Amino acid sequence: NNLVITGILSREGYTIHSAQSGQEAIDFVLGAEEPPHIVLLDVLMPEMNGLEVCKILRATYPTLVIILCSADGNRPDVVKGFEAGANDYVTKPVNSHELKARIRAHLHS
């Protein structure tokens, strides 16, 4: 799914940086000269799940746009995502038109 999302967004002209684990995502964002405009986090990641990563990034970057992505779109999980600090939540399989529209909306808000 990471490759699918990367393909969708790179075709739109976005610069993509992909991480294979929660810790790698944190290291990338915290080590960047400037934080990314948007972070897409899979809820299920090795080492540290997306909710934990979201909480850490939110504490450091209060205005960073964070979108969680999960195969499980039931209400309690979506609520947990927002409580962790996510701005948005998309379910897998990701609909390319919906993902692009959500990203555009966040970038222009």
Side-chain angles (χ1 to χ4, degrees):
N1 237 344
N2 191 1
L3 291 175
V4 172
I5 291 173
T6 298
I8 291 168
L9 298 179
S10 62
R11 282 191 298 276
E12 292 296 306
Y14 296 110
T15 301
I16 310 296
H17 297 279
S18 183
Q20 299 306 310
S21 69
Q23 187 60 54
E24 189 180 329
I26 289 171
D27 292 344
F28 173 78
V29 174
L30 296 181
E33 271 187 42
E34 292 184 32
H37 296 283
I38 292 183
V39 173
L40 274 93
L41 294 173
D42 198 319
V43 172
L44 296 176
M45 292 189 295
E47 296 178 34
M48 185 181 305
N49 72 43
L51 297 175
E52 294 169 311
V53 174
C54 183
K55 289 176 188 175
I56 291 168
L57 294 179
R58 178 60 62 226
T60 307
Y61 299 106
T63 60
L64 177 65
V65 175
I66 301 172
I67 301 175
L68 288 174
C69 182
S70 176
D72 193 358
N74 69 53
R75 289 213 190 279
D77 286 336
V78 173
V79 170
K80 284 180 191 174
F82 287 121
E83 288 173 345
N87 299 90
D88 209 344
Y89 195 103
V90 295
T91 56
K92 295 187 240 177
V94 173
N95 177 287
S96 64
H97 299 292
E98 177 185 357
L99 179 62
K100 291 184 287 189
R102 287 176 183 270
I103 288 174
R104 279 191 302 270
H106 286 293
L107 287 175
H108 300 294
S109 64

